[in-house]
Amino acid sequence: MDTMIPTLIANARKILIKIGSNTLADQDGRINPLFLEEFAAQTTVLIKDGKQIVIVSSGAQVAGLSTLGNWARKQDIHYKQALCAIGQVELMAAWGRAFAPQQLHIAQILLTRDDFEDSIRTLNMRNTLFTLVDEGIIPIINENDTVSVEEIKIGDNDTLAAQTAVLWSADLLILFSDIEGLYNKNPKEYPEAELVPEVWDIATIRSQISLGGTNNFGTGGIATKLDAAARAVSYGIPMILAHGRQHRALEALAAGTQRGTAFLVPSPLQGVK
Ligand code: ADP
């Protein structure tokens, strides 16, 4: 398979990986512990290879729902926030169990939009991230839904992942979703849709493709993934969008046996004659 993805992974030392709720959860809306375990095992291989990993993990609401199923239909914002508070504990416990066999510890970081707008908070976040990673701990980041009412929400973890990648000066951002990559139209509606393997110019691709809605648990949709790519690439960080639930996805991407979309950083001399 002719893809840039293995080279991007091989060349990156600091990798930020975002995992969407649909990737973490089964069809019935429960966190899939086997997925987490396999993911932790693959992450460990990369760490032993000298790489550093930070994870942005969605799934608090999903985990909350499976703990308190009778709240499923309560749309009230306070119930939603309460559900995330309940589910966040479950989510982190699941991650803790997944990394335990690898003898790796995890750390929880919950962030809001304000945190990225205040220079002192930003500095503290950066220092904490560097310290954790240097000590071999896996930071697992999520939005702090308890304090994030609509007006102050980052709103989706694609944006949170891109912001954190910039803050941590990552070499590569990987977004794992329930889709193989960027298509010219939503493949869930159009089976004939074609995967775009490489993107060098996000503004152009945005005007060429059609962006369908989001799915069950996700809040972002493909548009926020393009925004995340634009943000990362503008700071010189390439991004990979790939399917997280294919067999040992991280390994397969590194080996070049799984497809995905690579958003590449154009060389500063491109287009210069
Ligand atoms: P996640 O929960 O993983 O963040 P989202 O549900 O927010 O994922 O967004 C991914 C979804 O976006 C895909 O499952 C797909 O149905 C939809 N989508 C719409 N348009 C496109 C497109 N052009 N290419 C790929 N996916 C698309």
Side-chain angles (χ1 to χ4, degrees), residues 18 20-22 158 176-179 181-188 209-215 218-222 225:
K18 181 255 172 175
S21 338
N22 290 295
D158 300 324
F176 274 129
S177 184
D178 66 340
I179 201 88
L182 178 72
Y183 284 78
N184 58 348
K185 40 192 165 174
N186 187 354
K188 292 199 179 138
I209 61 169
S210 93
L211 312 170
T214 61
N215 46 23
T219 47
I222 201 74
K225 296 183 196 335

Side-chain angles (χ1 to χ4, degrees), residues 26 38 148 189 224:
D26 285 326
E38 284 222 323
S148 296
E189 284 169 47
T224 64

Side-chain angles (χ1 to χ4, degrees), residues 110-124:
L110 296 176
L111 299 174
T112 61
R113 199 171 74 188
D114 286 354
D115 297 326
F116 287 94
E117 287 166 3
D118 178 305
S119 57
I120 294 177
R121 289 188 188 196
T122 311
L123 189 64
N124 286 334

Side-chain angles (χ1 to χ4, degrees), residues 35-50:
F35 169 80
L36 296 190
E37 247 169 62
E38 284 222 323
F39 182 81
Q42 296 168 73
T43 307
T44 308
V45 173
L46 291 182
I47 291 171
K48 290 199 172 133
D49 204 29

Side-chain angles (χ1 to χ4, degrees), residues 181-185 187 190-197 209 259 261:
L182 178 72
Y183 284 78
N184 58 348
K185 40 192 165 174
Y190 304 93
E192 78 282 9
E194 284 170 20
L195 184 84
V196 183
I209 61 169
R259 298 198 301 171
T261 299

